[in-house]
Amino acid sequence: MELQLKKSAVSRSWILLEQDGSGAILDVDKYAIMRMVDIHARDLRILDPLLSYPSTILGREKVIVLNLEHIKAIITAEKVFVRDPADDDVVPIVEELRRRLPKSSGDEEPCAQGGGQGEDNEFPFEFRALEVALEAICSFLDARTIELETAAYPALDELTSQISSRNLDRVRKLKSAMTRLTNRVQKIRDELENLLDDDDDMADLYLSKKLANLSSPASSFGAHPNWLLSSPNPDSKIHGSSKASTATSLQVENDVEELEMLLEAYFTQIDGTLNKLNTLREYIDDTEDYINIQLDSHRNQLIQLELFLSSGTVCLSIFSLVAAIFGMNIPYTWKDGHGYMFKWVVMVGGMVCASLFLSIVTYARRKGLVGS
Amino acid sequence: MELQLKKSAVSRSWILLEQDGSGAILDVDKYAIMRMVDIHARDLRILDPLLSYPSTILGREKVIVLNLEHIKAIITAEKVFVRDPADDDVVPIVEELRRRLPKSSGDEEPCAQGGGQGEDNEFPFEFRALEVALEAICSFLDARTIELETAAYPALDELTSQISSRNLDRVRKLKSAMTRLTNRVQKIRDELENLLDDDDDMADLYLSKKLANLSSPASSFGAHPNWLLSSPNPDSKIHGSSKASTATSLQVENDVEELEMLLEAYFTQIDGTLNKLNTLREYIDDTEDYINIQLDSHRNQLIQLELFLSSGTVCLSIFSLVAAIFGMNIPYTWKDGHGYMFKWVVMVGGMVCASLFLSIVTYARRKGLVGS
Amino acid sequence: MELQLKKSAVSRSWILLEQDGSGAILDVDKYAIMRMVDIHARDLRILDPLLSYPSTILGREKVIVLNLEHIKAIITAEKVFVRDPADDDVVPIVEELRRRLPKSSGDEEPCAQGGGQGEDNEFPFEFRALEVALEAICSFLDARTIELETAAYPALDELTSQISSRNLDRVRKLKSAMTRLTNRVQKIRDELENLLDDDDDMADLYLSKKLANLSSPASSFGAHPNWLLSSPNPDSKIHGSSKASTATSLQVENDVEELEMLLEAYFTQIDGTLNKLNTLREYIDDTEDYINIQLDSHRNQLIQLELFLSSGTVCLSIFSLVAAIFGMNIPYTWKDGHGYMFKWVVMVGGMVCASLFLSIVTYARRKGLVGS
Amino acid sequence: MELQLKKSAVSRSWILLEQDGSGAILDVDKYAIMRMVDIHARDLRILDPLLSYPSTILGREKVIVLNLEHIKAIITAEKVFVRDPADDDVVPIVEELRRRLPKSSGDEEPCAQGGGQGEDNEFPFEFRALEVALEAICSFLDARTIELETAAYPALDELTSQISSRNLDRVRKLKSAMTRLTNRVQKIRDELENLLDDDDDMADLYLSKKLANLSSPASSFGAHPNWLLSSPNPDSKIHGSSKASTATSLQVENDVEELEMLLEAYFTQIDGTLNKLNTLREYIDDTEDYINIQLDSHRNQLIQLELFLSSGTVCLSIFSLVAAIFGMNIPYTWKDGHGYMFKWVVMVGGMVCASLFLSIVTYARRKGLVGS
Amino acid sequence: MELQLKKSAVSRSWILLEQDGSGAILDVDKYAIMRMVDIHARDLRILDPLLSYPSTILGREKVIVLNLEHIKAIITAEKVFVRDPADDDVVPIVEELRRRLPKSSGDEEPCAQGGGQGEDNEFPFEFRALEVALEAICSFLDARTIELETAAYPALDELTSQISSRNLDRVRKLKSAMTRLTNRVQKIRDELENLLDDDDDMADLYLSKKLANLSSPASSFGAHPNWLLSSPNPDSKIHGSSKASTATSLQVENDVEELEMLLEAYFTQIDGTLNKLNTLREYIDDTEDYINIQLDSHRNQLIQLELFLSSGTVCLSIFSLVAAIFGMNIPYTWKDGHGYMFKWVVMVGGMVCASLFLSIVTYARRKGLVGS
């Protein structure tokens, strides 16, 4: 397995981190990567930044393929390949990997099972790399969530107090951003849950142990005859289906224990982030329902007021009609010499109009159309 | 395992309760806690009140990590650490723990399997602590639910009878509170269900038994050869996946029995609380649907009334127009000497207007626009 | 196990039914019940009518705890305790129990496995009691559902034909009742489904067999060495997790067969009831959608008619304005001696108004605002 | 097992089909059926047409109880009982059964396991009957679905182009019919899926094999000692829970293979029908959303046009007011001898009104209220 | 198994591809196909283009039945039958099959289990065919999704800026297309997930291995006595239920490994496509919600403006009424000789109207009906 550094036209840079934390920038195409590590083209395509695959953690025979948002990495039992190390979001992760990877001494042996003396530093190489990636992605998504919350809650309250087109558009953009973020968080949460649900998938990630088993099949032969049966293909990977083997299952169980504790902690963390997003979503949905009812109720009140004005217009029209009739230039007999006429017309007309107005309003109120 | 009491700048107080119910306030940071109990930093972070993780019950090798809302505790086979003992909600729980923890005599031995003579008082130490915490959180959430119900139902009925902005806002706040409470109850219910679904997770919580097995592996050697295989790592923890082992499974089953009965009872209780909240949610949703239809129907009635008024206005306008035409100061031949004219114009105009009004209303009624 | 009849202040009456159908009213508190049967306080609380827990069927070591709506009972291998026997809904169930319980002769022995000669009458005591309870609750809920359907469908059709506030309120109340009933039916259906999904839960309900096994462990010793292992705790209860044991599983399976057939029949029945309720719910939802669109469409038609009237008003206003202008008392040169003037003004004004009205209507029609 | 033909008052006719295809009409009550076949009253109730249970396929010890919509049948290893053979939908099924049942020669022996020479014609009797029933119900439901699609798509398109009360009502009725049909198809699909998910449930349907095993337990004794253990109750039925037995599972698997292929084909068919219905449902939902937005948008346009008219009315009112003021019969000094007055009033008034109208429209346009 | 080329009236052409890539066009009916390969009529019906079944991958004893959208194929261990090779979408797939199928040399032997030297080229014949089909369908659906996205996002943004009937209709058509595409992608994703979830279903697809086992049962006899038990029916197919056999399961596991890696890669790809569609769906839904609120808010603003105009109309009506009253031709005593009268009436009337208008507006503003 020799390193080959090729300069390809398309900038497809990787960084290769060794067990001692030293790193080397590789600017190679995918065929070079496939020559360096034992990975299939199909699996490598998942890391292609152009194709935007969802987040995935795949355990293969000799590698872990990690596609967690911007963190695209290949983890072997001895090396870590990280894609796009110059990306702003990836730089701190590479730094962290450099810092944490070399901390272990003697991790090449399968993880000791005796007692609990400082268990966290005894993680094999591949799990230290995995933990750095999980920690980075969990913190990254939680930070995005908090940013979104900081923007969304005031925007929603503002929208509630004033429904303007500008506020609506702002909330729409925030909601859209939230939906996208929720999908991303959900995807990683589901991936962790699937891993936790299947012991065999987790066992697949124990690259060091599989390597050790392959190199020393004889040592385990005498002690565990059952393990021997499965040793030709130790990378048994089963997707979500339960499996039962009498004695070896107990064996496998032990192996999985420490990885499970590692994944569980980050599962709880990402689950908390998802919870926040769901609460935000429900707040937005409730606010939308509220705005809808509010707008409807507002409109009804507007129409009620307009109804009053219409009633007034009708009454005034009647009075105007009367005045117009008397304003016609058609001569009539009693037109002259009726000095009291003007007074009576104005008073009777006004009273009729007012009573009509009141009766309309009373009718509307009695029918429950106009509130008290 | 020595106690270290450090005064840190940040107030991160814990209370340590021993088996005899005696307690000591610890004001220590997380590193001190990690030195006192065998817990990983990742797991301790779940109890961090600043990070607001969802409710979790984690069974680790030697501890149970308990994060149930305000109850944040670490339970070992011999001690209980409770976070923030000065918190108003936590004080009664500490009191209850003090009262109930020492009740057992001779619980250090693995729980007796012979017969059912007074089974509930024979719980091992860690389950007595767990039961106090579960009882407290179930009662706490049920009380919150009842408070919410007491406030919500009258508010909804009031909103139904009068849709004002103030009532709407009140219901919106209650709905938001309900959503948050539902999430919290759901989270605890799910956690209990997950525990109940997985015997191995439950077996992980038997701290006393695991401790006893570790200290006396020889005694169980002869009787149970299968158990020996798994004894190096007795804290086998499997997340949601089924497992099958021929003989030992029957063994494990017995162990899990009493914890299952304990958890089942609180699961039923929290499920009842969740049921109440779901009923409330559906009542709110139904009320919102009702209000929406009500507002729509109300608006249509308002517009129907306005339609009547508009029809009236049009008819009056026509009559006014006629009057205005005759009121023009343009001289015309038949303007004079037609005494009957005025009478005719008024009568014919009035009848035409009235018949126009009636025909509009009849048209609307025949088209189904205006109800009977 | 002696009967103690205490008169407590709070009326907490139970009825105790023996194997021969004879019953005795007990007016005792929960501590007396706990002394009579081997039941935990936690489990007894589930039957508390004040706490309104959801429907549950719990298999314990020596009892079945039954909380099915109003039917709150404790079933042992030899006795049945029913809560509140004076309740109107419970009286017929007690009658039925009295009638059916004594029908069996020789049920104390474990249920015979040989052949199918009249299998239904050979049910052990606890299953006869369980069947009576299930039959009662299924019929009860189905009757409630039919009542609801009888009330709901006409109410919905009436609402469709006339959307009045009274009809809306009636449908809202029916919908709310339906939601509550659905929850109750769903709860019992889920409980039955959970039981059916888990053979071990079902095996837990075989109280007679467990009793028989306990009293004669020696007889089964030679034949089934595997069974012996699990005999100390034969009431193994596993919640929803799969379990696999080589030989004994076949054994357990046989036991569970007849209970499964019993539960399956009632599961189908309650599932049918739930189906009816879901159909009703969908009918209500469809009707609501329909009403919403109907109201909206109605409103648009109202506004279209109002638009016609408004157009008319505008045109009349223009004509009136012309008339008013000629009605001004400002002297003008051509005011006199133009006899043809009046005719022209009226005719031209009228034609201009009519053409304006027609052009507005044509514009609206061409824009698709006013339907054909 | 003797046939008893009783004429009961209530017409509860059945047809009994023998292995040779010959049939006999039975007009018997349920007690007669129970005497003829080994079926429990609980299970027989599922076939009661009055109680309208959901679709079910139940495997019992000696019978298959089949309730697929109108096809209500009891299948034993040698006979088929079909309910209501005079029903129009059932007649062709009985014909088909008559035609297909006798095609097998020598099916009484357990189905041969050697090779695949013409596997489809070697189905045991009960599976031939089951296949006829499944084929009939799948075709029946698919035909109903196609009828519904043929009616629904044009109705929806018509509704989109014209939202009338009649079209709305028609779509509502179609939607309601679709919901009911979807429920029925879903129910059968779920029943088939449940069967396919559980090998033990499928094994229960092998009535011929169970019969053969019962009659010759000795022959299988030597070869399969494990099978012997389970032979006393070969009709082991487990609902949805996984099971693992070392050697016999492989045995059972073989048995289930051909039934699984049979069920899978009809599952795909009914799944395709369900797909069509779901596509239709989504088309309806999308259309409803579209209509809602369309109606809202339409209304806004109507109100915009009305706003123009209202603006016009206000401007005309102002002009009319001016004219009316000058039309007052109050003498004023400049009233006479100002010939230019009339011209000025009309022109200035007209210009003021027009500019007011334009400013209102410009304001509305600038606020985004009136579209371009 | 002889090839029979029949020319049937109905054009039902197939292409038959051999192991060396050579192909022959067959224009045969389904009976000819059934004679050529060992496939049941039920399964062949799934490939019928007229019946439009959902996407399915079925593993049968000697064939894989593949119905992936337009790709309808039957794969045996030595041949591939593809339906409608003249279809525009199918032509490139046939080309690809021709190119890739012959690449293997010596695939008839069961796939080697030793080491990982170039694993991807050692796929057996049936998997090479399967991979071509999966790759084609994944690329096809992803291309359709990208086309849809390209059309949908601009259309939605345009709709947001202008809600016209044309834009609405366009979005409705796009949404409908999206729903249909989502269903198709979902169906294939589910089919792949189901396959991945069940090891036995995957094992069924190893046609070459099954063929090899059948032809040489003796060779595997000595090495794997457990396999022998299951060899009579190696095509054991279990739908979604877990299965556990002690030793053979480990054996089967190895076999499944490479197929699982193949399927997993395409599962991730199709899952990414589904993710895009779901994001699009949520964007459409959010946009619809936004448009609804926008339209409502717009309408309220329109009505607010109309309210202003109505208020103005009422005030002008009052003033007009006053003028009309004074314009009546009824003689009155103070009608003459009150020169100041005209001025006063105009001024007082104007002030009263203006103050009325302002009070109405102030009232509406104070009630929150008219925004600031």
Side-chain angles (χ1 to χ4, degrees), chain B residues 75-105:
Chain B
I75 300 173
T76 74
E78 289 156 346
K79 294 185 184 72
V80 179
F81 294 80
V82 183
R83 187 147 211 164
D84 288 325
D87 185 294
D88 282 351
D89 289 329
V90 180
V91 166
I93 296 156
V94 172
E95 279 311 300
E96 190 70 13
L97 279 171
R98 262 192 230 274
R99 205 175 58 78
R100 287 223 234 159
L101 285 184
K103 225 164 71 184
S104 70
S105 51

Side-chain angles (χ1 to χ4, degrees), chain A residues 113 115-116 118-121 123 131 135 142 156-157 160 189 193 196-199 202 224 242-247 249-251 253-258 260-273 275-276 278-279 282-283 285-287 289-290 292-297 299-301 303-304 306-307 310-311 313-315 317-318 320-321 324-334 360 363-364 367-372, chain B residues 34 38-43 45-46 51-56 58-62 159 162-165 168-170 172 175-176 179-180 183 187 200-201 204 226 229-230 232-233 235-246 248 281 285 288 291-292 294-299 301-303 305-306 308-310 312-313 316-324 326-330 334-343 345-346 372:
Chain A
Q113 293 180 14
E119 50 169 348
D120 49 323
N121 286 333
F123 273 170
E131 181 166 21
E135 210 178 293
D142 201 52
L156 283 164
D157 290 342
T160 308
R189 187 193 165 280
E193 196 176 32
L196 281 167
D197 277 1
D198 195 337
D199 289 353
M202 283 196 279
H224 313 291
S242 68
K243 190 103 331 172
S245 51
T246 43
S249 71
L250 293 169
Q251 191 78 6
E253 229 168 89
N254 303 345
D255 302 333
V256 164
E257 181 71 14
E258 56 182 357
E260 186 164 24
M261 295 204 306
L262 172 72
L263 293 177
E264 238 173 20
Y266 292 106
F267 175 76
T268 306
Q269 200 169 333
I270 202 93
D271 199 36
T273 305
N275 258 23
K276 280 186 210 162
N278 284 338
T279 305
E282 271 157 359
Y283 193 80
D285 287 349
D286 286 358
T287 304
D289 287 355
Y290 168 78
N292 267 324
I293 294 183
Q294 183 78 307
L295 282 173
D296 275 23
S297 165
R299 195 172 322 138
N300 280 16
Q301 285 174 309
I303 295 178
Q304 283 179 19
E306 225 178 288
L307 198 70
S310 296
S311 307
T313 306
V314 165
C315 299
S317 297
I318 289 173
S320 292
L321 176 62
I325 285 168
F326 285 106
M328 288 194 291
N329 288 325
I330 301 168
Y332 194 57
T333 49
W334 47 263
I360 292 173
Y363 168 81
K367 287 280 245 178
L369 296 176
V370 177
S372 57
Chain B
M34 282 166 70
D38 196 4
I39 187 171
H40 197 283
R42 275 191 308 266
D43 298 333
R45 214 185 314 157
I46 289 167
L51 295 175
S52 69
Y53 283 112
S55 293
T56 325
L58 282 182
R60 293 309 188 201
E61 198 177 350
K62 289 175 181 164
L159 180 62
Q162 196 205 349
I163 302 160
S164 73
S165 193
L168 266 174
D169 206 40
R170 195 166 128 215
R172 186 176 71 109
K175 194 181 176 185
S176 190
T179 302
R180 259 175 289 126
N183 281 351
K187 200 72 209 170
D200 297 279
D201 276 352
D204 264 8
N226 284 318
L229 269 172
S230 65
N233 261 12
D235 54 324
S236 60
K237 169 117 197 338
I238 292 95
H239 184 102
S241 84
S242 69
K243 190 99 336 164
S245 51
T246 42
T248 54
R281 160 175 298 276
D285 287 349
E288 279 183 356
I291 285 173
N292 266 323
Q294 182 78 308
L295 282 174
D296 275 23
S297 164
H298 185 191
R299 196 172 322 137
Q301 287 174 308
L302 285 175
I303 294 176
L305 186 51
E306 225 178 289
F308 273 101
L309 297 178
S310 295
T313 306
L316 290 172
S317 296
I318 289 172
F319 203 170
S320 293
L321 175 62
V322 171
F326 285 105
M328 287 195 292
N329 289 326
I330 302 170
W334 47 264
K335 207 164 189 174
D336 302 294
H338 297 268
Y340 59 92
M341 195 65 187
F342 184 84
K343 226 186 269 175
V345 166
V346 170
S372 59

Side-chain angles (χ1 to χ4, degrees), chain A residues 183-194:
Chain A
N183 282 351
R184 288 156 64 191
V185 172
Q186 181 82 49
K187 199 73 207 170
I188 289 177
R189 187 193 165 280
D190 288 356
E191 200 65 27
L192 286 179
E193 196 176 32
N194 281 342

Side-chain angles (χ1 to χ4, degrees), chain B residues 115-123 258 261, chain C residues 38-40 42-43 61:
Chain B
Q117 63 270 35
E119 51 170 347
D120 49 323
N121 287 332
E122 283 183 58
F123 273 170
E258 57 182 356
M261 295 204 307
Chain C
D38 197 3
I39 187 171
H40 197 283
R42 274 191 310 266
D43 298 332
E61 198 176 352

Side-chain angles (χ1 to χ4, degrees), chain D residues 199 260 264 271 300 369, chain E residues 40 187 237 243 298-299:
Chain D
D199 289 354
E260 187 165 22
E264 238 172 21
D271 199 36
N300 280 15
L369 296 176
Chain E
H40 197 282
K187 200 72 209 171
K237 170 117 198 334
K243 190 103 330 168
H298 186 191
R299 195 172 322 137

Side-chain angles (χ1 to χ4, degrees), chain A residues 1 4 17 109 173 189 196 202 215 225-226 252 288 358:
Chain A
M1 209 172 282
Q4 290 170 323
L17 291 161
E109 297 89 56
K173 289 215 178 77
R189 187 193 165 280
L196 281 167
M202 283 196 279
S215 53
N226 285 316
V252 170
E288 279 184 357
L358 287 174

Side-chain angles (χ1 to χ4, degrees), chain A residues 4-20:
Chain A
Q4 290 170 323
L5 284 95
K6 279 206 290 183
K7 282 279 168 192
S8 64
V10 187
S11 167
R12 303 206 152 184
S13 65
W14 294 74
I15 192 164
L16 165 61
L17 291 161
E18 300 280 349
Q19 278 185 325
D20 57 358

